[in-house]
Amino acid sequence: MWYYVKTLEYPVNLKSTDIRMAKLLVSQYGGPDGELGAALRYLNQRYSMPTNKAKALLTDIGTEELAHVEIMATMVHQIMENASIDEIKVAGLDGHYVDHGKGLFYTDATGNPWTATYIQCKGDVIADLTEDMAAEQKARATYEWLINLTDDVEIKNILSFLREREVIHFQRFGEALVDVQDNTKLTDFCK
């Protein structure tokens, strides 16, 4: 059971009207290395973990990734909500507007919808934790590239916070891998 605190993990109160940036930010909402995929991946993989520490870690990080989904959604929504039709067209979001108006939809930056093929659960602890570490590094890289594409200090601050969380998650998954290896026989990994 979780307790939901109705505040964002990091405050978002953007004044930006950079619709082009909203189009790019949406990739961390529903793109291949985005927060939705991470949350679903970890919350699903936790059932295969052989130690309580690893199960708890995947639950904690999966839940935090849901908080990151909220942050990304808030960012995109705040930028999009006051956009004019002309601004939407110029940013190349007219196709999105036809299907969703100014509403959020899980896509990547080029408009491809989220798909379960973005996530994996092999059922092999070593493979899953190693993939989780790689997923965190891909998300970190994406945040760095998004930071490079904006001059807006508020956006950079939020993205920097999220990037740092990816670094911490990578480290925690590495610790979970060591915990599993130290507390489980190698033959037990594929059960």
Side-chain angles (χ1 to χ4, degrees):
M1 172 183 270
W2 295 297
Y3 293 99
Y4 178 62
V5 178
K6 296 182 180 186
T7 59
L8 294 176
E9 183 182 16
Y10 190 95
V12 177
N13 189 18
L14 296 178
K15 308 292 186 276
S16 175
T17 57
D18 186 353
I19 307 305
R20 178 196 59 81
M21 195 62 196
K23 181 180 180 182
L24 302 174
L25 290 171
V26 79
S27 201
Q28 281 301 83
Y29 181 61
D33 302 314
E35 302 294 355
L36 176 65
L40 296 175
R41 174 188 299 112
Y42 307 150
L43 291 173
N44 191 52
Q45 288 176 351
R46 67 188 170 153
Y47 295 102
S48 302
M49 292 296 125
T51 69
N52 288 334
K53 183 176 180 178
K55 285 178 188 176
L57 179 76
L58 282 155
T59 301
D60 290 347
I61 293 177
T63 303
E64 184 177 348
E65 299 292 2
L66 289 173
H68 297 173
V69 169
E70 285 187 303
I71 291 171
M72 295 311 300
T74 302
M75 292 177 74
V76 173
H77 171 74
Q78 286 180 1
I79 294 170
M80 289 283 296
E81 90 180 314
N82 295 319
S84 71
I85 298 300
D86 287 336
E87 290 171 322
I88 288 170
K89 287 181 192 176
V90 169
L93 287 168
D94 42 341
H96 175 91
Y97 183 78
V98 167
D99 291 334
H100 311 290
K102 293 181 182 178
L104 289 164
F105 191 73
Y106 295 105
T107 67
D108 65 14
T110 57
N112 296 308
W114 186 89
T115 173
T117 59
Y118 290 161
I119 63 174
Q120 180 58 271
C121 179
K122 191 69 177 169
D124 178 280
V125 178
I126 301 296
D128 286 345
L129 288 172
T130 302
E131 176 176 331
D132 297 343
M133 292 171 70
E136 293 297 324
Q137 288 301 312
K138 289 186 274 185
R140 178 204 43 80
T142 302
Y143 279 123
E144 288 176 7
W145 296 333
L146 286 168
I147 290 166
N148 292 341
L149 292 171
T150 186
D151 294 325
D152 188 300
V153 174
E154 291 178 311
I155 292 174
K156 283 181 181 270
N157 288 341
I158 299 164
L159 297 177
S160 293
F161 167 79
L162 292 167
R163 185 187 67 77
E164 289 305 314
R165 295 307 302 156
E166 305 301 345
V167 172
I168 298 297
H169 294 169
F170 173 82
Q171 293 168 343
R172 296 296 89 83
F173 283 130
E175 292 166 6
L177 184 57
V178 170
D179 174 65
V180 165
Q181 290 170 327
D182 287 348
N183 293 295
T184 311
K185 294 180 193 174
L186 284 175
T187 56
D188 291 341
F189 287 145
C190 297
K191 285 186 178 180

